[in-house]
Amino acid sequence: MNGEQGMQTNGNEVIIETHNLKKLYQMGSETIHALAGVDMQIRRNEYIAIMGPSGSGKSTLMNLIGCLDTPTEGEYVLNGTPVQGLDDDELARIRNREIGFVFQTFNLLPRASALHNVELPLIYAGVSSKVRQEKAKNALARVDLADRTHHKPNELSGGQRQRVAIARALVNDPSIVLADEPTGNLDSKTSEEIMSVFDELHSEGQTIIMVTHEHDIVGHAERVVTLRDGLIESHDARADGLL
Amino acid sequence: MYVLEGIWIALQQVWAHKLKSAFTLIGVIIGITFLIAVITVVEGMNRYVQEDFAGSLFGINTFTVVRRSQISTGSETEERRRRQARNPNLTLHDVDVISAAVPEAWRLAYNSDRGFDEVSYKERRRRNVRLIGGSDGYEALQGWDVEIGRGLTPLDQRRGLKVVVIGSEIADRLFPDVDPVGKQIRIGAHRFNVVGVWESQGGMFGVIRDASILMPFSVYRQTFARNPSEVDEISVKMRSMEEMEAAQIAVEGAMRTDRELRPGQENDFWLQTSSELLDTWDKIVKILFAAIPGLVSISLVVGGIVIMNIMLLSVAGRIQEIGIRKAVGARRRDILIQFLSESATLSVVGAGIGIVFGIGIGKGVEAFTPMPASVPVWGIAVALTLGILVGVGSGLYPAYRAAKQDPIVALRSE
Ligand SMILES: Nc1ncnc2c1ncn2[C@@H]1O[C@H](COP(=O)(O)OP(=O)(O)OP(=O)(O)O)[C@@H](O)[C@H]1O
Ligand SMILES: [Mg+2]
């Protein structure tokens, strides 16, 4: 837990701060420590890769940061707001305004067009239909899908689907984009494409946290956090080099 | 906006699975079809009875003395019906008694009538007509106007001329392309001069005027009456409702005195008014409307249960969708509203189909029977409201199940 001093960020404010974050599952008599007490700070405009073996708690941490799940114990402050203790609706609001999620399995609405999928967060934000369409089209343009607005997910390639998902994550101008193994279902060439999309977003100032297994992808991130057994094993800045 | 989303999804599903949707909605469709069909026909009848029938058959502020009740209300006992069958015939003497009892009557007239097999003009025939022998002023009391020619005059009456005014249906049949006025028609062995044609009354009970032939009472009595001393109906028209009620009492008293009935003894004649008829109709309507809610609610409850099951299946098949929506910021109530709108839309689609079918049946009844149909706006409003209520009611539980899904669990489900 001594990686902080090596950070290369330009003094931006902290937008995520966790303290002793725990997620426990009770399986019969056994208690599973999916997260066993995580302290971390993330500043605006950071690009962080989270690594670790399977079952180490990466997804659990992402879900907590993304307010999809609530911790068993510990504190989590997002953009100055203590998140623990908020009710379902308040969490939904934070997910809507502050978080953009990109999943390994894309998680698009199968019967809806790309445009409608991207509009979805705006619908729940109460944005008018006209503004919604405009923003959704812009977001699709940012991921190079301006010409696929009316395609359904099953009419798109895997890489295109993931780009629709990225557009959906961006459309509400979230504080952070969370990506849990976004290239896990893609071949290596398409993975590179998707990674360059994230690189570009980062260069435009987007804060990104990404879970990944693949070492060459780690090369895109500024900082690598490694989890093991629900705890942070290392907080390496890119400069330290993991590879 | 999730309301629109729900409506849109529901409509897409109905459209994509038309047959399945038809089965899903069958309960609602049947219930609403039945509701609208009954409302349409009853309302049509209701209007007709109130606006046309009662007024034209009996006239306003008019009552009629007859030997016995002609309207079967169903409430009278068999016993009473048998007693009335022993009532003596009305005669011209009764006409004198009644006109003496209400000298202030605006109009007073009497008539006898009978069905008759056939009338003819040259080769053309019309079967099943009604012959009416009316006293002077009968047409005026009935409010019948002539379309062509003239009505009967006091002179026709006094001289006992063999002249008739015929109903429009008879005129159309016997004189398709000539002016009936001045022509001679045959009624049985007798020849009559047509002097006029009544305005067509049309409608369900138009047959009463449109297929009738009116002649002077004295002529009818000599020529067609089965019993020459008999008068079938004696009608009194007053200027107002209050006057009519007072006149009824006076007539009843005079008749009882004349027939030497003891106090407590029942009338051996019958007073008939248009309000009596309306009362009877009201009873029928009440019974019909009392039966609707039971039948309609049974099919709506069944329909609602089917919709609930379909919605539960739909929710179960779309857990992942719910997870996705929650992940991007849908609150519980957003999901709730979406699924409620969806089931309400399904049900309203069913109600809409039911309304169309119901009106179709009403119009069919109107086209193929003499009964009129009329679609009241309130009927459609009730049907749509019921549709929404059934949809929301049957969607509540499935929508609640959808709304309380945990986003993580929902996202993981396949
Ligand atoms: N709902 C649950 N109930 C019980 N245990 C759970 C539940 N969710 C996660 N766990 C456990 O918590 C631990 C961490 O799981 P998590 O999904 O965060 O791992 P991960 O690092 O994302 O692994 P992977 O790389 O395979 O995706 C695992 O041991 C897992 O079995
Ligand atoms: Mg995982």
Side-chain angles (χ1 to χ4, degrees), chain B residues 22-76:
Chain B
F23 282 115
T24 307
L25 300 178
I26 203 157
V28 176
I29 293 174
I30 289 176
I32 298 294
T33 301
F34 178 74
L35 176 77
I36 291 291
V38 173
I39 288 180
T40 302
V41 171
V42 169
E43 187 69 11
M45 289 289 290
N46 220 357
R47 273 209 187 168
Y48 185 77
V49 165
Q50 310 221 336
E51 287 167 17
D52 302 332
F53 177 53
S56 60
L57 191 59
F58 288 96
I60 297 161
N61 302 329
T62 300
F63 67 92
T64 300
V65 181
V66 291
R67 185 164 75 95
R68 57 173 169 161
S69 170
Q70 289 160 359
I71 298 167
S72 171
T73 58
S75 58
E76 64 203 15

Side-chain angles (χ1 to χ4, degrees), chain A residues 3 6 235-243:
Chain A
H235 249 309
D236 298 333
R238 278 304 309 143
D240 299 353
L242 192 85
L243 308 171

Side-chain angles (χ1 to χ4, degrees), chain B residues 124 174 191 213 253 273 303 318 324 361:
Chain B
R124 304 193 66 86
L174 298 188
R191 291 173 182 281
I213 295 177
T273 62
R318 283 155 65 195
I324 294 169
I361 291 177

Side-chain angles (χ1 to χ4, degrees), chain A residues 95-96 107 116 124 132, chain B residues 1 5 320 325-326 328:
Chain A
R95 289 198 293 275
N96 188 237
N107 278 334
H116 188 82
Y124 294 112
R132 226 158 63 203
Chain B
M1 260 168 283
E5 188 98 354
Q320 210 190 3
R325 289 179 183 278
K326 287 205 152 188
V328 301

Side-chain angles (χ1 to χ4, degrees), chain A residues 168-181:
Chain A
R168 180 179 66 190
L170 295 176
V171 76
N172 252 357
D173 291 326
S175 304
I176 42 171
V177 167
L178 301 173
D180 192 348
E181 299 190 49

Side-chain angles (χ1 to χ4, degrees), chain B residues 163-326:
Chain B
V163 292
V164 289
V165 182
I166 60 177
S168 58
E169 270 182 30
I170 299 173
D172 289 346
R173 180 98 186 104
L174 298 188
F175 306 100
D177 32 42
V178 281
D179 182 359
V181 175
K183 303 291 184 306
Q184 268 202 341
I185 59 170
R186 293 174 66 100
I187 307 176
H190 306 273
R191 291 173 182 281
F192 284 80
N193 268 325
V194 177
V195 295
V197 179
W198 302 121
E199 255 178 14
S200 167
Q201 184 178 21
M204 184 178 176
F205 301 100
V207 61
I208 290 167
R209 188 203 298 181
D210 297 347
S212 290
I213 295 177
L214 179 72
M215 63 187 69
F217 183 79
S218 55
V219 177
Y220 175 89
R221 190 162 63 153
Q222 284 158 22
T223 331
F224 297 107
R226 297 196 173 93
N227 177 354
S229 65
E230 191 183 341
V231 175
D232 288 344
E233 300 178 340
I234 305 167
S235 302
V236 178
K237 188 178 181 81
M238 306 301 290
R239 285 193 167 75
S240 70
M241 193 73 169
E242 298 77 54
E243 267 187 43
M244 186 187 80
E245 280 160 6
Q248 272 180 286
I249 294 167
V251 165
E252 189 177 355
M255 289 284 288
R256 287 183 68 90
T257 309
D258 182 66
R259 295 188 167 186
E260 299 174 340
L261 299 178
R262 292 185 305 280
Q265 205 176 341
E266 230 181 286
N267 289 345
D268 59 358
F269 53 93
W270 188 256
L271 284 180
Q272 192 161 278
T273 62
S274 56
S275 61
E276 182 198 355
L277 180 91
L278 289 182
D279 288 350
T280 308
W281 174 248
D282 278 351
K283 265 183 219 157
I284 298 172
V285 169
K286 281 210 186 80
I287 292 166
L288 276 174
F289 275 160
I292 295 179
L295 292 166
V296 170
S297 47
I298 288 171
S299 44
L300 289 188
V301 165
V302 172
I305 290 171
V306 176
I307 291 179
M308 175 151 86
N309 274 300
I310 291 296
M311 287 306 295
L312 280 173
L313 277 178
S314 169
V315 168
R318 283 155 65 195
I319 297 290
Q320 210 190 3
E321 172 191 329
I322 296 164
I324 294 169
R325 289 179 183 278
K326 287 205 152 188

Side-chain angles (χ1 to χ4, degrees), chain A residues 2-22:
Chain A
N2 55 353
E4 294 293 327
Q5 67 267 37
M7 266 175 25
Q8 299 295 303
T9 52
N10 36 12
N12 272 340
E13 87 263 41
V14 172
I15 56 170
I16 285 177
E17 182 156 22
T18 72
H19 181 64
N20 195 28
L21 207 58
K22 287 187 182 174

Side-chain angles (χ1 to χ4, degrees), chain A residues 25 63 68-69 88-89 92-93 95-96 101 103 105 107-111 116-117 120-121 123-124 126-129 132 168 172, chain B residues 1-2 5 8-9 12-13 318 320-335 338 406-408 411-412 414:
Chain A
Y25 291 105
N63 291 340
L68 275 169
D69 208 353
D88 274 7
D89 283 355
R93 207 186 117 83
R95 289 198 293 275
N96 188 237
F101 238 112
F103 302 92
T105 52
N107 278 334
L108 299 175
L109 295 184
R111 281 186 298 263
H116 188 82
N117 267 294
L120 212 53
I123 289 180
Y124 294 112
V127 175
S128 77
S129 155
R132 226 158 63 203
R168 180 179 66 190
N172 252 357
Chain B
M1 260 168 283
Y2 354 102
E5 188 98 354
W8 180 235
I9 289 174
Q12 277 177 321
Q13 275 171 359
R318 283 155 65 195
Q320 210 190 3
E321 172 191 329
I322 296 164
I324 294 169
R325 289 179 183 278
K326 287 205 152 188
V328 301
R331 295 161 303 176
R332 279 174 183 231
R333 85 186 75 135
D334 300 332
I335 302 291
Q338 181 192 327
D406 181 76
I408 294 275
L411 275 175
R412 270 208 210 105
E414 275 306 318

